[in-house]
Amino acid sequence: MGDEGPGSAVHLLCLAASSGVPLFCRSSSGGAPSRQQLPFSVIGSLNGVHMFGQNLDVQLNSARTEDTTVVWKNFHDSITLIVLSSEEGTSELRLERMLHMVFGAMVLIVGLEELTNIRNVERLKKELRASYCLIDSFLGNSELIGDLTQCVDCVIPPEGSAMQETLSGFAEATGTAFVSLLVSGRVVAATEGWWRLGMPEAVLLPWLVGSLPPQAARDYPVYLPHGSPTVPHRLLTLTLLRGLELCLLCGPRPPLGQLDPQLLERWWQPLLEPLRACLPLGPRALPEGFPLHSDILGLLLLHLELRRCLFTVEPSKDKEPSPEQRRRLLRNFYTLVATTHFPPEPGPAEKQEDTVHAAQTPRACYLVLGPGMGWQLVAVQLGLRLLLLLLSPQTPTHGLRSLATRTLQTLTPLL
């Protein structure tokens, strides 16, 4: 369960696959954006070895040195993405999913046509700058986890039914089926149309809004990597309270000017206090006073069919470890769990073998960290829900599974 020290770094390279011309290079160090750039000779060597393999019908996916993990990914035979990470214990799964999110972000901003049919490299470089803020957030220490889990980060509002009813009415009044309410890049409530958005845009759109500087209103052109990669839509955002935004995904209508303050006030003024109660939900995810066992230091709950998740490291904030370290521990544990113990849902061809493998499918697993730490991690899956907990050292090991099961049963009505 590696820790990210001050010397760890992540470098992301984007190149035109046919020519090897670099389109951009982004870096982070210690979880923060960095101006440090890789030498051109290193970039050329990393791309060269990948192209050499392709010419021999050999697909080079990943490599490890003593202190660095490298993952390559080619998209549509047009864009090559390469990521290098020196973070201790970095998994290939995490880096592979990062590259898929990065390419999704590129499509979201410039469209698939510009990336698969590169006519002018310099113009493409300039257009891709608009995606840097979103891409950089994947390289750093984000408070979100949807990039890794491929599930939408959500929070549970205190008056969810009233908020949902108002949101649906507002969507009908504005003539769009795709509306959501976001706090700090997490979904508070959304219309059925918004929840039907495919991956990766269902994760990317809230993440994009959370990565942008605060603004009262925006009219932002976006492509949907899954649903509409070549025809742009409009992403309208309206700030209700600082950090709390309404998002509408629509076509030419409605114009932004039609969403005037009077319209917003008519629909949302009656819910002012519940809206204010949503502001601290960003990092907390759960309503204030929600009953959690005192040994819980962090949790990740995933609904594997709805592709939604709750992620928080706020419980028992006065205890060690720090929030940043808690997030890293849960991220690394999720990677271990997803690759080793609880693989993704089987496809149709594999379901006929379900009976054979049912007895071999684990229901729970746990991990106790080494000397000097003692924190414990446990995962339990019941049906379509998977829960991961970070627990304090005093939790008895023999009680991990029962504690996790009880917590999952308590959380089940929420997600």
Side-chain angles (χ1 to χ4, degrees), residues 34-241:
S34 168
R35 293 181 177 271
Q36 180 185 4
Q37 297 288 311
L38 290 174
F40 189 77
S41 58
V42 174
I43 297 174
S45 299
L46 288 168
N47 188 51
V49 70
H50 184 254
M51 293 182 70
F52 178 76
Q54 283 185 317
N55 291 336
L56 297 175
D57 291 328
V58 175
Q59 186 64 47
L60 178 59
N61 295 320
S62 63
R64 285 185 181 270
T65 67
E66 186 177 335
D67 59 0
T68 303
T69 303
V70 187
V71 172
W72 291 261
K73 184 68 181 174
N74 183 276
F75 294 89
H76 298 274
D77 295 323
S78 180
I79 298 292
T80 298
L81 292 176
I82 308 171
V83 62
L84 302 83
S85 175
S86 60
E87 179 185 348
E88 183 186 350
T90 295
S91 71
E92 293 172 13
L93 174 74
R94 178 187 168 191
L95 298 181
E96 287 168 5
R97 291 190 175 179
M98 179 193 294
L99 293 185
H100 280 281
M101 293 297 288
V102 168
F103 185 73
M106 294 164 64
V107 176
L108 190 79
I109 302 301
V110 305
L112 187 61
E113 176 67 22
E114 289 291 323
L115 298 171
T116 56
N117 189 12
I118 302 174
R119 300 181 185 89
N120 186 318
V121 169
E122 293 306 315
R123 187 183 71 186
L124 179 58
K125 285 183 183 180
K126 187 175 180 181
E127 291 175 345
L128 284 171
R129 288 176 193 161
S131 66
Y132 286 176
C133 188
L134 178 55
I135 288 171
D136 287 349
S137 67
F138 300 137
L139 308 184
N141 289 332
S142 174
E143 293 184 359
L144 307 176
I145 200 168
D147 60 320
L148 177 62
T149 62
Q150 299 178 327
C151 295
V152 179
D153 285 277
C154 300
V155 300
I156 305 301
E159 296 189 30
S161 56
M163 214 160 284
Q164 187 67 51
E165 187 177 336
T166 301
L167 190 74
S168 299
F170 178 80
E172 189 174 339
T174 55
T176 176
F178 305 94
V179 185
S180 66
L181 183 64
L182 306 181
V183 60
S184 307
R186 301 162 177 88
V187 177
V188 179
T191 60
E192 288 185 19
W194 185 280
W195 285 126
R196 285 198 300 268
L197 290 172
M199 292 294 165
E201 51 259 35
V203 170
L204 284 170
L205 289 171
W207 202 297
L208 171 66
V209 174
S211 71
L212 294 172
Q215 213 166 329
R218 304 184 191 90
D219 192 337
Y220 205 91
V222 293
Y223 297 82
L224 304 181
H226 174 76
S228 182
T230 57
V231 179
H233 287 62
R234 294 165 62 225
L235 179 65
L236 308 183
T237 69
L238 302 156
T239 299
L240 298 180
L241 297 169

Side-chain angles (χ1 to χ4, degrees), residues 305 345-357:
E305 184 177 58
E345 289 293 296
E350 299 166 277
K351 288 187 177 178
Q352 59 186 347
E353 301 178 15
D354 281 357
T355 308
V356 178
H357 294 299

Side-chain angles (χ1 to χ4, degrees), residues 307-320:
R307 308 303 301 173
R308 303 176 199 174
C309 66
L310 297 175
F311 181 47
T312 180
V313 293
E314 289 287 297
S316 304
K317 285 199 295 185
D318 54 327
K319 299 180 182 177
E320 290 291 329

Side-chain angles (χ1 to χ4, degrees), residues 13-26:
L13 311 173
C14 176
L15 307 101
S18 58
S19 62
V21 174
L23 300 176
F24 63 78
C25 176
R26 308 300 296 170

